[in-house]
Amino acid sequence: MEEQLRKDRPAYSLFDITKYYLKLGTWGFGGPVALVGYMHRDLVEDKAWLTEEEYKEGLALAQLAPGPLAAQLAIYIGFVNYGFIGATLTGLAFVLPSFIMVVLLGMAYQLYGGLAWMQAVFYGVGAAVIGIIGVSACKLTVKSISAFELPAIRSRWLLWLFYVIGIAITVITQKEEVLLFLACGMLYMVLKAPPEWLKKRDIVPAGILISTGFWKYDGKTLQEMGWFFLKAGAFVFGSGLAIVPFLHGGVVKEFGWLNEHQFVDAVAVAMITPGPVVITVGFIGYLVAGFPGACIAALATFLPCYLFTVALAPSFKRIAKNTSIKAFVEGITASVIGALVGSVIIIGLRSLIDIPTALIAVAAVLGLIYIKKLQEPYIIGIAAIIGLLIKAI
């Protein structure tokens, strides 16, 4: 009996797993793919806290449900042995370090953003970010739709059609179209794996803080931010960079909270901080409405992925086998990635303002493609130095 209890007891305590994610959130650079790789190496291979099967189930849920990939997986792993409390603590521990960093960077940006040296830094950084997002968009395209090969494109032509439509509509309207994403998901589900309810026609489906604007906010703006970021968080599938078209369309175009350069700077901040890329919402929230805005933006963005994980985890094995749900997610993902590419085109046309910025963006692309161990924070650092040098000359 005692031996059986030892087998049933987790190999780690709630404190252990929370401490691990606090460290990963503090030092985990490299974006979502790198972060989920670190989790596998540390928790499955090195510590043996999780089985391969548990890890794969969590990764599948993270890809299937809306929410940033790495944060979703962290919440699921916390849920495995410690349920609601584990999911809450691991999620908070993973996101909190990078949230604190972006708030501090937001304070610095408010203080020094108008100074020449800060503008020179982001002159180089903004251009590099365009290249980085462009490469990420290509990788997401290959991973989620198919390789850029004629046979693969022919076999998944409908997803490619959704992808192209997503690009075109985003470039033309210059905002996110949630109804388009839902329509693509529904159409692909109906054509590829229609659910049972569709087959049954009689059934219908149911000091310094003051100078940095730390506590400067407007109640109406906070309410608008809450709804906007909640919507954005509910439509981020896979990579956190998929949130870029949503944020660009709303933050810059619809509400005018930030201008084009400030938005690119916000994406750059996400690149130079560890943890989930989506944490850029904290920086954006801070610029718009101080610390309350940062909290509302972060909470609203991460809430959907937390709720989906807690709700779906207990019955996920059954849900994961549902071909209709998989098809629905595939259709949405194709159009969302297309929107991401469309956003890269829009932001690039406005941010690459001269030959030096164009060359920095191209250099960032080539560096990521040909230098395998080169990570985004290093590219951002090099671009910042180049920007300073160019403006000094």
Side-chain angles (χ1 to χ4, degrees), residues 47-334:
K47 299 178 184 292
W49 285 358
L50 295 175
T51 65
E52 188 74 36
E53 184 181 358
E54 287 172 333
Y55 175 85
K56 285 180 178 178
E57 285 176 1
L59 188 59
L61 175 59
Q63 292 173 321
L64 185 62
L69 183 69
Q72 190 96 332
L73 181 57
I75 293 168
Y76 180 85
I77 289 173
F79 187 90
V80 168
N81 283 307
Y82 291 100
F84 174 78
I85 297 296
T88 304
L89 289 179
T90 55
L92 285 173
F94 184 51
V95 172
L96 194 59
S98 53
F99 175 76
I100 293 171
M101 290 179 203
V102 296
V103 167
L104 293 174
L105 287 168
M107 293 168 68
Y109 191 85
Q110 293 282 45
L111 276 174
Y112 305 115
L115 300 181
W117 68 267
M118 178 69 90
Q119 292 174 354
V121 165
F122 280 101
Y123 171 82
V125 167
V129 165
I130 302 303
I132 291 170
I133 300 177
V135 172
S136 297
C138 286
K139 289 180 179 178
L140 283 171
T141 301
V142 172
K143 181 181 177 184
S144 302
I145 305 177
S146 78
F148 292 99
E149 298 170 354
L150 195 56
I153 293 172
R154 280 178 178 169
S155 66
R156 297 173 73 84
W157 67 270
L158 187 55
L159 290 179
W160 278 101
L161 178 62
F162 294 159
Y163 175 80
V164 172
I165 291 172
I167 295 174
I169 289 184
T170 303
V171 171
I172 293 167
T173 64
Q174 299 191 9
K175 62 181 181 179
E176 85 287 351
E177 296 291 346
V178 174
L179 291 179
L180 168 68
F181 305 144
L182 289 174
C184 290
M186 288 296 294
L187 180 59
Y188 198 70
M189 178 182 69
V190 169
L191 294 176
K192 292 294 181 180
E196 289 300 317
W197 54 263
L198 274 180
K199 297 174 184 176
K200 300 175 182 177
R201 297 185 181 181
D202 57 330
I203 298 176
V204 179
I208 186 173
L209 299 183
I210 295 174
S211 62
T212 60
F214 189 81
W215 208 259
K216 185 179 179 182
Y217 69 93
D218 174 76
K220 183 183 177 184
T221 301
L222 283 183
Q223 186 178 4
E224 289 175 341
M225 287 174 65
W227 283 112
F228 171 72
F229 285 104
L230 191 69
K231 181 176 69 172
F235 284 91
V236 181
F237 286 84
S239 170
L241 284 174
I243 202 172
V244 169
F246 290 93
L247 297 184
H248 184 264
V251 170
V252 179
K253 293 295 172 188
E254 184 179 351
F255 295 103
W257 290 327
L258 302 182
N259 61 39
E260 205 75 48
H261 289 297
Q262 288 173 322
F263 181 77
V264 175
D265 294 346
V267 177
V269 164
M271 298 291 183
I272 62 175
T273 51
V277 175
V278 175
I279 202 60
T280 187
V281 299
F283 183 84
I284 292 171
Y286 187 89
L287 295 189
V288 177
F291 185 67
C295 292
I296 290 293
L299 179 64
T301 303
F302 285 97
L303 186 61
C305 91
Y306 172 80
L307 294 177
F308 269 102
T309 302
V310 172
L312 296 179
S315 56
F316 178 65
K317 287 184 180 179
R318 176 176 53 82
I319 294 170
K321 295 175 182 176
N322 189 309
T323 54
S324 298
I325 292 177
K326 285 183 178 178
F328 179 69
V329 171
E330 278 189 285
I332 286 182
T333 302

